[in-house]
Amino acid sequence: MGKLTVTLTFLLFSAFASAHSGADPLKELNKNKNRLSSVQSEFEQLNKQSEQFESLEKQARYLQKNILILRRLMVKDYPHVTASMSKYKLDYMDEIDNGLEGFKQTLDQMKTVIEN
């Protein structure tokens, strides 16, 4: 039980630590979105299953980072703040929807890999 607790604590801490890099959150968000889009568009050209799995892992990491960034921004600005009220001029719900659409594409690609 102790090892499990330590492992879970480490995993949670590492996820939160990566979301608090101290960089401009909008720049980080856009950088991750661009990287995700690039990795997703390159997925179709990958022939080896190991490369496809690595691509899927990268996609999942970028999506996780974006969701953590958005969550941190929402906590700072409060969830009821609209885009015009946000100091980042960001519509959080649209960004979360976009992240979920990207995640759906990643899952669809994962299903393709598993079926083959």
Side-chain angles (χ1 to χ4, degrees):
M1 182 71 169
K3 287 183 181 182
L4 178 62
T5 303
V6 171
T7 302
L8 289 175
T9 303
F10 175 74
L11 289 174
L12 288 173
F13 178 74
S14 65
F16 288 117
S18 69
H20 294 282
S21 65
D24 180 6
L26 290 181
K27 286 181 183 177
E28 288 296 311
L29 188 64
N30 285 326
K31 185 169 44 171
N32 285 337
K33 285 167 56 175
N34 289 336
R35 289 176 176 169
L36 175 63
S37 178
S38 174
V39 172
Q40 284 179 334
S41 65
E42 294 169 356
F43 183 84
E44 298 300 324
Q45 287 89 29
L46 300 176
N47 296 323
K48 295 181 182 177
Q49 191 175 33
S50 61
E51 291 173 342
Q52 291 174 329
F53 281 125
E54 184 177 323
S55 174
L56 293 171
E57 287 176 352
K58 283 182 187 178
Q59 291 178 44
R61 281 193 303 269
Y62 291 136
L63 291 166
Q64 179 185 24
K65 287 178 184 179
N66 284 349
I67 289 171
L68 291 173
I69 290 168
L70 290 169
R71 185 176 62 190
R72 191 176 75 234
L73 290 173
M74 289 174 72
V75 168
K76 286 183 179 178
D77 277 355
Y78 302 106
H80 65 278
V81 175
T82 63
S84 62
M85 296 167 61
S86 167
K87 68 180 180 180
Y88 297 104
K89 304 296 183 220
L90 185 67
D91 186 336
Y92 299 117
M93 296 318 250
D94 281 348
E95 289 298 324
I96 290 173
D97 286 343
N98 291 339
L100 291 173
E101 287 174 14
F103 191 65
K104 182 185 180 314
Q105 183 178 354
T106 300
L107 291 177
D108 289 342
Q109 291 174 346
M110 188 179 297
K111 287 178 189 175
T112 302
V113 169
I114 291 172
E115 291 172 357
N116 291 333

